[in-house]
Structures are given as C-alpha cells and as structure tokens.
Amino acid sequence: LATLGLLDELSMPVRVNTTVHKQNVQLLLELLKLLNSFSNIREWSLHQWWPTRALESMRLRLYLAAAKFHSEVAEAAATKPRFRVVGRARSERSRHTVFISTNGEVYTFGEVDELCPIIIGDLKTEPFHKVSLSIAVRPDSRKRHPAPRFYA
C-alpha cells in the first residue's frame, strides 16, 4: 500500500493484477474500496486462478468455477469505481502468456478447459531470446491469441 501511495503522489498510472480464487473471492469488494482511494489506478485486472501443476488438495481449496468468477467480476465492475475492472479468464491467457518456472522451464498453455502446459524451452540450456522464438508464442502464429493484455 505504501508503494501505491508513493505512485499516487507521483501521478504514475498503475494497473493492479489480482489472482482470484475460492479463498479470496469474498474480499473483492473490500479490496475494490481500498483501491478506489488511489487516484492513479487505471485498471484492476482480476485473473481467474489456474490450477496448473497444483496438488489436488490445493485445487480443492482454491478452484473457483468460471461462472462464479465472472459473476464476481461483474459485481465489482457494477460498483462503478474510478478505474476499469477487467476479468481475465484462464482461456484469455492461453498461448499469449509465458511463464518461467523456478526450475528454468518456460511454458505457455493450450486453450482446452483442462490446462495443458506447453513447454517451449528451458533457460538452463537455452538463452531466453532463443526460447522466445517458439511458434507457440510468436505474434504472427495462428496459435497465439490476439486479445490485448494491457489497458489503453
């Protein structure tokens, strides 16, 4: 919060990203009120939690159905905060988001409901610029999702 306050004092635009899951979904409206106190926030991106490589016990604790996720995002947006509220479902991030794992693997995901990781490289054996040339994430690839990811 101190950093948001400093950025607010400097009039620097901010986009806040929040991963939404079963254990924090009930706090969204409270968090929205807090974020609304900063004049520099331009967008609040709410991302549906991905159960990628999660243990079954974690999936049971955190998984939030898509319908519930979209309902909560709509409720937050309906309060008409000073910034844009955007829901980012798992399917929107398929093939256009790259993740770097702690073990060096670089991967993206397919577009099916059950996430299927697509390992596109390994930073332990290849430089990132080489990994980034994968057809799965190239801007001109038909496999890449064209949706914009950042606020205007």
Side-chain angles (χ1 to χ4, degrees):
L1 291 177
T3 302
L4 278 176
L6 176 61
L7 294 171
D8 200 35
E9 288 175 24
L10 296 171
S11 299
M12 294 187 77
V14 172
R15 178 181 72 183
V16 175
N17 294 305
T18 303
T19 300
V20 180
H21 51 75
K22 193 188 308 185
Q23 291 187 345
N24 71 359
V25 69
Q26 73 281 1
L27 301 173
L28 292 182
L29 293 179
E30 184 179 328
L31 184 54
L32 184 138
K33 287 178 189 173
L34 179 65
L35 294 176
N36 212 28
S37 68
F38 297 97
S39 62
N40 61 326
I41 295 176
R42 302 290 184 261
E43 180 179 293
W44 187 24
S45 289
L46 298 168
H47 298 271
Q48 184 183 11
W49 180 75
W50 280 18
T52 306
R53 298 184 179 180
L55 297 173
E56 185 62 25
S57 59
M58 183 180 275
R59 289 177 193 230
L60 292 172
R61 276 195 339 266
L62 300 178
Y63 177 75
L64 185 68
K68 176 72 171 164
F69 170 76
H70 291 296
S71 167
E72 295 296 330
V73 169
E75 185 177 346
T79 67
K80 300 193 186 307
R82 69 175 75 214
F83 46 82
R84 193 168 72 143
V85 176
V86 180
R88 308 267 186 209
R90 293 182 335 188
S91 61
E92 291 179 47
R93 294 185 283 171
S94 297
R95 303 246 189 206
H96 70 278
T97 302
V98 174
F99 295 87
I100 300 174
S101 178
T102 56
N103 69 3
E105 290 177 344
V106 180
Y107 54 95
T108 188
F109 299 94
E111 298 171 10
V112 295
D113 189 41
E114 283 300 315
L115 294 178
C116 54
I118 302 168
I119 297 173
I120 60 174
D122 188 338
L123 296 181
K124 292 181 297 191
T125 60
E126 301 174 271
F128 186 78
H129 73 274
K130 193 169 188 177
V131 171
S132 68
L133 298 175
S134 169
I135 192 165
V137 293
R138 281 194 0 226
D140 61 340
S141 173
R142 292 183 338 165
K143 296 182 178 184
R144 184 176 166 151
H145 193 284
R149 296 182 351 136
F150 300 104
Y151 60 85

